[in-house]
Amino acid sequence: QVQFLESGGGSVQAGGSLRLSCVVSEYTFKSDFMGWFRQAPGEWREGVASINTDSAFYADSVKGRFTISRDNAKNTIYLQMNSLKPEDTAMYYCAAGYGLRFSLSPNDYSYWGQGTQVTVSS
């Protein structure tokens, strides 16, 4: 059974930090790659970061500010977000995919969490 439990969202002022967590079922955690996406109202879903067993990949908009990581013992992936900006405000989703090394395209992902809201005020 595929299960996701996302947490860590909230409201923060610009320049602040948040850490998102996504606990997944063991079966899903063994997927080829996982990622974090975000979607603001009226916008397309945007890939933020992707991770497999040994490497990570980031969107240009978050490079140097966000870090994706995984804890295999806890079946959890994280997204550490620093130097947050108002334009980072969105619903953030974790997702799992198969058959690639990594991807920032939502079309490459098979399973999705319910999302956690991040709001950054100026």
Side-chain angles (χ1 to χ4, degrees):
Q1 183 178 0
V2 177
Q3 290 183 321
F4 292 82
L5 181 61
E6 295 145 317
S7 63
S11 296
V12 65
Q13 288 191 326
S17 298
L18 286 172
R19 189 176 80 154
L20 306 183
S21 300
C22 179
V23 182
V24 304
S25 56
E26 185 173 356
Y27 170 77
T28 305
F29 198 73
K30 292 178 180 177
S31 60
D32 295 323
F33 58 101
M34 297 193 68
W36 285 98
F37 289 77
R38 64 187 181 188
Q39 188 168 18
E43 301 290 333
W44 296 104
R45 190 165 293 190
E46 174 192 18
V48 173
S50 181
I51 190 168
N52 54 38
T53 55
D54 58 10
S55 59
F57 188 74
Y58 298 91
D60 288 342
S61 58
V62 305
K63 266 181 195 174
R65 299 190 298 123
F66 290 12
T67 303
I68 188 172
S69 61
R70 61 191 293 160
D71 185 333
N72 295 333
K74 297 180 179 179
N75 289 354
T76 302
I77 64 167
Y78 302 97
L79 186 68
Q80 177 66 43
M81 304 185 296
N82 299 328
S83 302
L84 282 162
K85 305 175 181 179
E87 51 263 44
D88 294 319
T89 295
M91 184 72 79
Y92 282 71
Y93 301 88
C94 66
Y98 298 86
L100 299 173
R101 287 276 294 162
F102 52 77
S103 174
L104 293 182
S105 170
N107 294 332
D108 291 329
Y109 286 78
S110 302
Y111 301 107
W112 293 84
Q114 295 300 308
T116 184
Q117 179 68 37
V118 171
T119 302
V120 184
S121 58
S122 57

